[in-house]
Structure formats: C-alpha cells, structure tokens
C-alpha cells in the first residue's frame, strides 16, 4: 500500500509518500520561519494562507520525486488535529478533495500520533510496548504505548509545554525567532551549574509537567543579571539543564511505573543534543534503550503522517466525506489497530 501524507498543523507544509514494502519514497517540506520571524511567533492567518500557496506545488514535487502518478497512490492521510484550525483545514480540504477526485480512501491523522510513530520510519525501530516522551512547542506528555492506538497518557503539561518554555525564554533573552533552537545553541557556550534553576514538579509524586514557573524564574534571573554575553550563555545553559533534568526525572518515573525498558522520544525538542545524551545515559544505566526519529523528522513533517495514516488505512479505517479539523483532540481517544506486518 502506498499513501500520500499531508501535514499542515502549524507553520510547516510537509508532504510525503510512504510505501509499506519499500518505505519512504519521497518527502518535501516547506518552513514558514522567515514569514513569521518579523512577528516573533506564528501568525495563524498568515500560516493558513501560506499553506494554501505551497501545498499543491509540494504535492506535485513529491509525486515527481517518488516517480509516482495519482493512480499509484492507494490512500491519502492528512493531519486532522490538534493544531491551528485554519492551517489544519487547508490540509484536510486538499486531502479530502484529492481522495474524492482520485477515488481513494482517506483518513485524518492525529498530529501527536504522527510524532509518536516517527521513530518507526527508522531502520532500528522500537518494538511495543514502550514509554513515549512527546516534547514539542505545543505539547509535553508521557504516554504508555502498547500498540498503535493503545495509548494511556501518564502525564502531560498543565501549562507551558517544554518547547513553548524554550521559545518564550529565548524571547526574554532577546533571541530571534525561532527561539528554542537558538537558546539551545547559546547554551553550548554556557558554563554548567553557573545558576541553579528549579526542577518543577519533581519534588512531588506524579508525571505531569509545568514549565511556566521555570520560565518566570528565568525571566527574573534575566532581569537581574543579564549584563554580558557570558552571563547570557550561562543563563541559557541553566535553563536548558533544568528542562532536561525535569524531563529525565519524569521519564525515569514513567519507566519504573510501567516496567518498560524502551523509551521513545519525539517532537521538536527531541532534537536537543543535551536531552539526547542525558536520556541515553539514563537508559544505559538502567539497561534500557532510547529511540528517536532522525533530525529532519523530529519537527513537523509529512512522512510521519503518511506512516501513521498507512497503518490505519491498512486496518480498514477511513474518514467520511465531511471535512473536519480538531484544534484539540485527546490522544487516548483514538481507536486501536493491529500492528501492520
């Protein structure tokens, strides 16, 4: 089976074609970073308009790169949510329209399920069950994953997500958009343990996350002490250390609670080098393994949507003709499917 995947949940237009026998045939990605840079963040209406402008040329390019025609496509998957509703509806309308005109089945994919399954695109893919840490600009959650659609959310953000806290703290430091990756790069120059930032919600039981207080602590430190480049780097390093320690502590708790020895980390923040090394050390010390998607599939992309959609289409799941976009969509509400061979 060969599926065309469409991702338009926020500020990246991602298109991919995935074949269940040959793997990923082609993928293209257009980022709107330059468009939103002047505003210091994503402007939803501009994001939607840019998806409209780019989506059809990218689909044509991806078909060409994969040496495919419309008759070679067996199904279409598109992001149905969660995300920016206008942006989601662009991909959903195009996906449903193509499915109708090409007479192909189509399915709306949960954006976070796409991230969760992104490591399955790799040659060394994890086996079920595992704990998944999903960390991005809009989400931070720990999930018990027994199979596709068999998800139990163990903990999640009660306020700012980890990626959101990175971006907001970077903005407080005067770093350009997108702030998160720039803050992480600046932290490379910082001296470890120069400042001691709190590790929020680690002094109590549970697996939920809260990063708004850490952001406020960083804001107060910046206001009081940000007077030279080295201090700036030290604060960035302390903030990053606090986020990574918090995520590591929660992951360790989740693994102990479930008894699993496999950890999947996905979402934009999973590309952070220090996070990867910290979790790798933790898993090695505990006799487990950690899995990530490659760097280009950590952020939003069409490949993860094509893969996730293919699994559900193969199981006989499809959406009706009604075009739906869900800005909020609980991950644990998805139906289970058998793992495709």
């Amino acid at each position: 089976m060969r599926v065309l995947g469409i991702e338009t949940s926020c500020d990246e237009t991602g298109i991919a074609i995935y074949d269940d026998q040959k793997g990923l045939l082609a993928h293209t990605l257009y980022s709107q970073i330059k468009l939103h840079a002047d505003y210091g963040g994503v402007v939803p209406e501009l994001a939607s308009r840019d998806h409209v402008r780019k989506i059809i040329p990218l689909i044509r390019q991806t078909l060409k790169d994969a040496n495919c025609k419309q008759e070679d496509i067996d199904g279409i998957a598109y992001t149905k949510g969660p995300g920016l509703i206008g942006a989601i509806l662009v991909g959903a309308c195009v996906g449903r329209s193509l499915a109708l005109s090409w007479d192909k089945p189509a399915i709306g994919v949960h954006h976070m399920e796409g991230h969760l399954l992104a490591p399955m695109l790799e040659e060394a893919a994890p086996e079920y069950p595992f704990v998944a840490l999903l960390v991005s600009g809009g989400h931070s959650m720990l999930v018990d994953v027994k199979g596709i659609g068999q998800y139990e959310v163990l903990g999640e953000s009660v306020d700012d997500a980890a990626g959101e806290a990175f971006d907001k703290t970077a903005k407080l430091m005067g770093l350009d958009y997108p702030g998160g990756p720039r803050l992480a790069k600046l932290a490379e120059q910082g001296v470890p343990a120069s400042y001691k930032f709190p590790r929020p919600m680690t002094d109590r039981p549970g697996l939920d996350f809260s990063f708004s207080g850490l952001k406020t602590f960083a804001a107060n430190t910046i206001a009081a002490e940000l007077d030279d480049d080295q201090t700036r780097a030290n604060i960035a390093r302390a903030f990053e250390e606090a986020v990574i320690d918090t995520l590591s502590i929660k992951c360790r708790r989740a693994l102990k609670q479930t008894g699993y020895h496999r950890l999947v980390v996905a979402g934009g923040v999973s590309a952070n080098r220090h996070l990867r090394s910290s979790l790798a050390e933790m898993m090695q010390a505990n006799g487990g393994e950690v899995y990530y998607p490659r760097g280009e599939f950590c952020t939003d992309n069409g490949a993860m949507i094509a893969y996730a959609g293919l699994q559900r289409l193969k199981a006989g799941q499809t959406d009706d003709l009604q075009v739906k976009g869900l800005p909020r969509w609980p991950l644990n509400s998805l139906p289970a499917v058998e793992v495709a061979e």
Side-chain angles (χ1 to χ4, degrees):
M1 189 175 197
R2 190 170 289 180
V3 171
L4 172 70
I6 301 171
E7 156 60 21
T8 62
S9 67
C10 190
D11 61 340
E12 286 163 320
T13 314
I15 310 295
I17 297 173
Y18 191 89
D19 187 294
D20 62 347
Q21 299 298 317
K22 298 179 180 180
L24 185 62
L25 300 183
H27 71 100
T28 54
L29 184 71
Y30 172 74
S31 173
Q32 300 176 1
I33 286 177
K34 291 182 179 179
L35 174 67
H36 301 288
D38 289 342
Y39 304 95
V42 177
V43 180
E45 179 62 26
L46 294 181
S48 302
R49 292 179 183 181
D50 221 33
H51 286 307
V52 171
R53 187 169 65 91
K54 287 291 185 178
I55 190 168
I56 297 302
L58 284 176
I59 289 173
R60 288 173 175 159
Q61 183 61 51
T62 308
L63 287 167
K64 181 180 179 181
D65 292 346
N67 195 26
C68 289
K69 299 179 181 178
Q70 68 181 58
E71 53 265 29
D72 299 319
I73 302 299
D74 301 304
I76 296 173
Y78 55 88
T79 299
K80 187 163 71 173
L84 302 177
I85 188 61
I88 290 168
L89 286 174
V90 174
C93 288
V94 170
R96 278 256 44 111
S97 298
L98 287 177
L100 184 62
S101 63
W102 293 357
D103 193 24
K104 309 290 183 182
I107 189 160
V109 172
H110 193 293
H111 179 72
M112 296 312 294
E113 180 174 59
H115 277 302
L116 188 154
L117 297 177
M120 300 301 181
L121 295 164
E122 305 304 325
E123 193 169 320
E127 296 181 0
Y128 300 101
F130 54 77
V131 168
L133 171 66
L134 302 178
V135 277
S136 66
H139 300 84
S140 295
M141 64 175 67
L142 281 162
V143 186
D144 178 344
V145 181
K146 293 182 173 66
I148 298 176
Q150 300 177 53
Y151 308 135
E152 178 187 355
V153 177
L154 304 172
E156 57 189 330
S157 304
V158 298
D159 43 52
D160 290 352
E164 184 179 7
F166 262 100
D167 289 338
K168 288 181 176 179
T169 302
K171 191 171 185 177
L172 290 169
M173 298 181 73
L175 299 176
D176 292 335
Y177 175 84
R182 296 181 189 278
L183 187 148
K185 185 175 181 180
L186 178 62
E188 299 279 354
Q189 305 168 32
V191 178
S194 296
Y195 293 91
K196 181 64 175 178
F197 279 28
R199 275 58 174 164
M201 296 183 71
T202 59
D203 58 349
R204 67 190 78 173
L207 294 171
D208 285 337
F209 301 96
S210 171
F211 292 107
S212 65
L214 178 60
K215 178 195 65 183
T216 301
F217 189 94
N220 292 336
T221 305
I222 291 166
E225 303 195 32
L226 191 59
D227 55 7
D228 59 51
D229 290 343
Q230 187 57 55
T231 300
R232 184 191 300 267
N234 291 345
I235 292 173
R237 182 63 176 261
F239 174 83
E240 184 184 61
E241 288 172 344
V243 173
I244 290 172
D245 282 355
T246 300
L247 294 175
S248 297
I249 290 167
K250 298 287 186 171
C251 285
R252 186 161 55 245
R253 288 183 185 176
L255 290 162
K256 183 177 181 180
Q257 178 176 314
T258 59
Y260 298 162
H261 297 282
R262 286 184 288 270
L263 175 67
V264 160
V265 187
V269 182
S270 70
N272 183 282
R273 187 177 67 84
H274 286 145
L275 176 63
R276 290 193 174 214
S277 61
S278 176
L279 292 178
E281 289 175 10
M282 181 192 76
M283 295 305 292
Q284 187 175 17
N286 290 277
E289 294 181 274
V290 61
Y291 299 85
Y292 302 91
R294 73 195 76 166
E296 61 188 319
F297 295 149
C298 289
T299 53
D300 296 349
N301 63 88
M304 67 183 192
I305 301 304
Y307 179 86
L310 182 142
Q311 307 310 313
R312 294 190 172 277
L313 288 169
K314 284 185 69 174
Q317 297 182 19
T318 59
D319 280 355
D320 58 28
L321 291 176
Q322 185 178 5
V323 176
K324 294 180 180 179
L326 301 174
R328 291 178 176 82
W329 188 5
L331 183 64
N332 56 8
S333 69
L334 298 177
V337 300
E338 295 297 325
V339 178
E341 299 294 336

